[in-house]
Short mmCIF file of all heavy atoms in Angstrom, two decimals:
data_model
loop_
_atom_site.label_atom_id
_atom_site.label_comp_id
_atom_site.label_asym_id
_atom_site.label_seq_id
_atom_site.Cartn_x
_atom_site.Cartn_y
_atom_site.Cartn_z
N VAL A 1 -1.30 8.12 5.81
CA VAL A 1 -0.85 7.30 4.68
C VAL A 1 0.14 6.25 5.17
O VAL A 1 0.07 5.07 4.78
CB VAL A 1 -0.23 8.19 3.58
CG1 VAL A 1 0.41 7.32 2.50
CG2 VAL A 1 -1.30 9.08 2.96
N THR A 2 1.06 6.65 6.04
CA THR A 2 2.03 5.70 6.58
C THR A 2 1.33 4.60 7.38
O THR A 2 1.65 3.42 7.25
CB THR A 2 3.05 6.42 7.48
OG1 THR A 2 3.79 7.36 6.70
CG2 THR A 2 4.02 5.44 8.11
N ALA A 3 0.35 4.99 8.20
CA ALA A 3 -0.40 4.00 8.99
C ALA A 3 -1.12 3.03 8.08
O ALA A 3 -1.17 1.82 8.34
CB ALA A 3 -1.38 4.72 9.91
N THR A 4 -1.70 3.53 7.00
CA THR A 4 -2.39 2.66 6.05
C THR A 4 -1.44 1.65 5.44
O THR A 4 -1.77 0.46 5.32
CB THR A 4 -3.04 3.51 4.95
OG1 THR A 4 -3.97 4.43 5.53
CG2 THR A 4 -3.76 2.63 3.94
N ALA A 5 -0.26 2.11 5.07
CA ALA A 5 0.73 1.21 4.47
C ALA A 5 1.15 0.12 5.45
O ALA A 5 1.21 -1.07 5.09
CB ALA A 5 1.95 2.02 4.01
N VAL A 6 1.43 0.51 6.68
CA VAL A 6 1.85 -0.47 7.69
C VAL A 6 0.74 -1.48 7.95
O VAL A 6 0.97 -2.69 8.01
CB VAL A 6 2.27 0.24 8.99
CG1 VAL A 6 2.51 -0.77 10.10
CG2 VAL A 6 3.51 1.09 8.76
N ALA A 7 -0.48 -0.99 8.11
CA ALA A 7 -1.61 -1.87 8.37
C ALA A 7 -1.85 -2.83 7.21
O ALA A 7 -2.14 -4.02 7.42
CB ALA A 7 -2.87 -1.05 8.64
N ALA A 8 -1.73 -2.33 5.98
CA ALA A 8 -1.96 -3.18 4.81
C ALA A 8 -0.89 -4.26 4.70
O ALA A 8 -1.19 -5.42 4.36
CB ALA A 8 -1.99 -2.33 3.56
N ILE A 9 0.35 -3.93 4.98
CA ILE A 9 1.42 -4.92 4.91
C ILE A 9 1.24 -5.98 6.00
O ILE A 9 1.46 -7.18 5.76
CB ILE A 9 2.80 -4.23 5.01
CG1 ILE A 9 3.09 -3.48 3.70
CG2 ILE A 9 3.90 -5.24 5.30
CD1 ILE A 9 4.34 -2.66 3.71
N ARG A 10 0.81 -5.56 7.19
CA ARG A 10 0.55 -6.54 8.25
C ARG A 10 -0.55 -7.50 7.83
O ARG A 10 -0.45 -8.71 8.05
CB ARG A 10 0.16 -5.82 9.54
CG ARG A 10 1.29 -5.05 10.19
CD ARG A 10 0.87 -4.46 11.52
NE ARG A 10 0.76 -5.49 12.54
CZ ARG A 10 -0.37 -5.83 13.16
NH1 ARG A 10 -1.51 -5.23 12.84
NH2 ARG A 10 -0.38 -6.78 14.08
N LEU A 11 -1.60 -6.98 7.22
CA LEU A 11 -2.68 -7.84 6.78
C LEU A 11 -2.21 -8.75 5.65
O LEU A 11 -2.55 -9.95 5.61
CB LEU A 11 -3.89 -7.01 6.34
CG LEU A 11 -5.09 -7.82 5.84
CD1 LEU A 11 -5.58 -8.80 6.90
CD2 LEU A 11 -6.23 -6.88 5.43
N ALA A 12 -1.45 -8.21 4.72
CA ALA A 12 -0.95 -9.02 3.61
C ALA A 12 -0.09 -10.18 4.12
O ALA A 12 -0.15 -11.30 3.58
CB ALA A 12 -0.14 -8.15 2.65
N THR A 13 0.70 -9.93 5.15
CA THR A 13 1.51 -10.99 5.74
C THR A 13 0.63 -12.12 6.24
O THR A 13 0.90 -13.30 6.02
CB THR A 13 2.35 -10.43 6.90
OG1 THR A 13 3.23 -9.42 6.39
CG2 THR A 13 3.16 -11.53 7.57
N HIS A 14 -0.45 -11.76 6.91
CA HIS A 14 -1.38 -12.78 7.38
C HIS A 14 -2.02 -13.53 6.22
O HIS A 14 -2.16 -14.76 6.26
CB HIS A 14 -2.48 -12.16 8.25
CG HIS A 14 -3.65 -13.07 8.44
ND1 HIS A 14 -3.57 -14.21 9.21
CD2 HIS A 14 -4.91 -13.05 7.93
CE1 HIS A 14 -4.73 -14.85 9.17
NE2 HIS A 14 -5.56 -14.16 8.40
N LEU A 15 -2.40 -12.82 5.19
CA LEU A 15 -3.09 -13.43 4.05
C LEU A 15 -2.15 -14.29 3.19
O LEU A 15 -2.60 -15.07 2.37
CB LEU A 15 -3.72 -12.35 3.17
CG LEU A 15 -4.82 -11.51 3.81
CD1 LEU A 15 -5.21 -10.36 2.86
CD2 LEU A 15 -6.03 -12.35 4.15
N GLY A 16 -0.85 -14.10 3.38
CA GLY A 16 0.11 -14.80 2.53
C GLY A 16 0.27 -14.14 1.18
O GLY A 16 0.76 -14.76 0.22
N ALA A 17 -0.11 -12.86 1.08
CA ALA A 17 0.05 -12.11 -0.16
C ALA A 17 1.49 -11.62 -0.25
O ALA A 17 2.05 -11.12 0.73
CB ALA A 17 -0.91 -10.93 -0.20
N ASP A 18 2.09 -11.73 -1.42
CA ASP A 18 3.49 -11.36 -1.60
C ASP A 18 3.71 -9.86 -1.58
O ASP A 18 4.80 -9.38 -1.24
CB ASP A 18 4.02 -11.92 -2.93
CG ASP A 18 4.00 -13.44 -2.96
OD1 ASP A 18 4.17 -14.05 -1.88
OD2 ASP A 18 3.79 -14.01 -4.05
N ARG A 19 2.69 -9.11 -1.96
CA ARG A 19 2.90 -7.67 -2.08
C ARG A 19 1.59 -6.93 -1.88
O ARG A 19 0.51 -7.51 -1.98
CB ARG A 19 3.50 -7.32 -3.45
CG ARG A 19 2.62 -7.69 -4.63
CD ARG A 19 3.38 -7.61 -5.94
NE ARG A 19 2.52 -7.80 -7.11
CZ ARG A 19 2.12 -8.97 -7.56
NH1 ARG A 19 2.50 -10.07 -6.94
NH2 ARG A 19 1.35 -9.05 -8.65
N VAL A 20 1.71 -5.64 -1.62
CA VAL A 20 0.58 -4.73 -1.52
C VAL A 20 0.74 -3.70 -2.62
O VAL A 20 1.83 -3.13 -2.80
CB VAL A 20 0.51 -4.04 -0.15
CG1 VAL A 20 -0.70 -3.11 -0.08
CG2 VAL A 20 0.48 -5.06 0.98
N GLU A 21 -0.34 -3.45 -3.35
CA GLU A 21 -0.28 -2.50 -4.45
C GLU A 21 -1.37 -1.45 -4.31
O GLU A 21 -2.48 -1.75 -3.86
CB GLU A 21 -0.42 -3.21 -5.80
CG GLU A 21 0.72 -4.17 -6.11
CD GLU A 21 0.57 -4.81 -7.49
OE1 GLU A 21 -0.41 -4.48 -8.20
OE2 GLU A 21 1.41 -5.67 -7.82
N ALA A 22 -1.04 -0.24 -4.70
CA ALA A 22 -2.02 0.85 -4.76
C ALA A 22 -2.69 0.83 -6.11
O ALA A 22 -2.03 0.78 -7.15
CB ALA A 22 -1.34 2.19 -4.52
N GLY A 23 -4.01 0.85 -6.13
CA GLY A 23 -4.75 0.81 -7.39
C GLY A 23 -4.68 2.13 -8.15
O GLY A 23 -4.30 3.17 -7.61
N ASP A 24 -5.08 2.07 -9.39
CA ASP A 24 -5.01 3.25 -10.25
C ASP A 24 -6.21 4.17 -10.11
O ASP A 24 -6.22 5.26 -10.67
CB ASP A 24 -4.90 2.81 -11.72
CG ASP A 24 -3.60 2.04 -12.00
OD1 ASP A 24 -2.60 2.35 -11.32
OD2 ASP A 24 -3.62 1.15 -12.86
N ALA A 25 -7.24 3.72 -9.36
CA ALA A 25 -8.46 4.53 -9.27
C ALA A 25 -8.32 5.72 -8.34
O ALA A 25 -9.04 6.70 -8.48
CB ALA A 25 -9.63 3.66 -8.81
N MET A 26 -7.38 5.66 -7.39
CA MET A 26 -7.22 6.77 -6.46
C MET A 26 -6.44 7.91 -7.12
O MET A 26 -5.74 7.71 -8.12
CB MET A 26 -6.53 6.30 -5.17
CG MET A 26 -5.09 5.90 -5.30
SD MET A 26 -4.38 5.32 -3.73
CE MET A 26 -5.17 3.71 -3.56
N PRO A 27 -6.56 9.13 -6.59
CA PRO A 27 -5.83 10.26 -7.17
C PRO A 27 -4.35 9.97 -7.29
O PRO A 27 -3.75 9.31 -6.41
CB PRO A 27 -6.10 11.39 -6.17
CG PRO A 27 -7.41 11.03 -5.54
CD PRO A 27 -7.41 9.53 -5.46
N ALA A 28 -3.74 10.45 -8.35
CA ALA A 28 -2.35 10.11 -8.67
C ALA A 28 -1.39 10.51 -7.55
O ALA A 28 -0.46 9.76 -7.21
CB ALA A 28 -1.94 10.75 -9.99
N ASP A 29 -1.60 11.70 -6.96
CA ASP A 29 -0.67 12.15 -5.92
C ASP A 29 -0.79 11.28 -4.68
O ASP A 29 0.22 10.94 -4.04
CB ASP A 29 -0.90 13.62 -5.58
CG ASP A 29 -2.33 13.88 -5.11
OD1 ASP A 29 -3.23 13.08 -5.41
OD2 ASP A 29 -2.54 14.92 -4.43
N LEU A 30 -2.02 10.86 -4.35
CA LEU A 30 -2.22 10.00 -3.19
C LEU A 30 -1.63 8.62 -3.46
O LEU A 30 -1.03 8.02 -2.56
CB LEU A 30 -3.71 9.91 -2.87
CG LEU A 30 -4.09 9.15 -1.59
CD1 LEU A 30 -3.41 9.77 -0.38
CD2 LEU A 30 -5.61 9.15 -1.42
N ALA A 31 -1.80 8.11 -4.66
CA ALA A 31 -1.22 6.81 -5.01
C ALA A 31 0.30 6.84 -4.89
O ALA A 31 0.92 5.89 -4.41
CB ALA A 31 -1.65 6.42 -6.41
N ARG A 32 0.92 7.95 -5.33
CA ARG A 32 2.38 8.07 -5.21
C ARG A 32 2.81 8.05 -3.75
O ARG A 32 3.78 7.37 -3.39
CB ARG A 32 2.86 9.36 -5.89
CG ARG A 32 2.91 9.30 -7.41
CD ARG A 32 3.72 10.45 -7.97
NE ARG A 32 3.13 11.75 -7.62
CZ ARG A 32 2.21 12.37 -8.35
NH1 ARG A 32 1.77 11.81 -9.48
NH2 ARG A 32 1.74 13.54 -8.00
N GLU A 33 2.08 8.78 -2.93
CA GLU A 33 2.42 8.81 -1.50
C GLU A 33 2.27 7.43 -0.87
O GLU A 33 3.10 7.00 -0.06
CB GLU A 33 1.54 9.81 -0.77
CG GLU A 33 1.82 11.26 -1.13
CD GLU A 33 0.85 12.20 -0.42
OE1 GLU A 33 0.68 12.05 0.81
OE2 GLU A 33 0.26 13.07 -1.09
N LEU A 34 1.20 6.75 -1.24
CA LEU A 34 0.96 5.44 -0.67
C LEU A 34 2.02 4.44 -1.13
O LEU A 34 2.52 3.64 -0.33
CB LEU A 34 -0.44 4.95 -1.05
CG LEU A 34 -0.84 3.56 -0.55
CD1 LEU A 34 -0.74 3.48 0.98
CD2 LEU A 34 -2.26 3.21 -1.00
N ARG A 35 2.40 4.48 -2.39
CA ARG A 35 3.44 3.56 -2.87
C ARG A 35 4.78 3.82 -2.19
O ARG A 35 5.50 2.88 -1.84
CB ARG A 35 3.57 3.70 -4.39
CG ARG A 35 2.37 3.12 -5.14
CD ARG A 35 2.40 3.40 -6.62
NE ARG A 35 1.17 2.91 -7.25
CZ ARG A 35 0.44 3.59 -8.11
NH1 ARG A 35 0.82 4.82 -8.48
NH2 ARG A 35 -0.66 3.08 -8.63
N ALA A 36 5.09 5.10 -1.97
CA ALA A 36 6.32 5.43 -1.24
C ALA A 36 6.25 4.92 0.19
O ALA A 36 7.25 4.38 0.73
CB ALA A 36 6.57 6.93 -1.27
N ALA A 37 5.10 5.07 0.82
CA ALA A 37 4.94 4.58 2.20
C ALA A 37 5.03 3.06 2.26
O ALA A 37 5.57 2.51 3.22
CB ALA A 37 3.61 5.06 2.76
N LEU A 38 4.48 2.38 1.26
CA LEU A 38 4.58 0.92 1.22
C LEU A 38 6.04 0.48 1.07
O LEU A 38 6.47 -0.47 1.73
CB LEU A 38 3.74 0.38 0.06
CG LEU A 38 2.22 0.44 0.23
CD1 LEU A 38 1.51 0.17 -1.07
CD2 LEU A 38 1.76 -0.56 1.30
N ARG A 39 6.80 1.16 0.24
CA ARG A 39 8.22 0.81 0.09
C ARG A 39 8.95 1.02 1.40
O ARG A 39 9.77 0.18 1.81
CB ARG A 39 8.85 1.64 -1.03
CG ARG A 39 8.38 1.27 -2.44
CD ARG A 39 9.28 1.90 -3.49
NE ARG A 39 9.18 3.35 -3.48
CZ ARG A 39 8.29 4.06 -4.20
NH1 ARG A 39 7.41 3.42 -4.97
NH2 ARG A 39 8.26 5.38 -4.15
#
């Protein structure tokens, strides 16, 4: 999960995206973990 967050933020930086967000379709516990890792 941490690796995913780091990789997504690196890609977002390249894309010029201001933020990375976890969608609502994934399981709630996984989304919470991913959002914490993104922060």
Side-chain angles (χ1 to χ4, degrees):
V1 172
T2 298
T4 301
V6 172
I9 288 175
R10 291 184 73 244
L11 179 57
T13 299
H14 164 69
L15 296 173
D18 297 329
R19 62 193 188 279
V20 181
E21 295 182 2
D24 296 329
M26 68 182 73
D29 59 338
L30 186 58
R32 284 195 298 271
E33 291 177 49
L34 179 57
R35 289 173 185 133
L38 288 167
R39 290 193 294 271

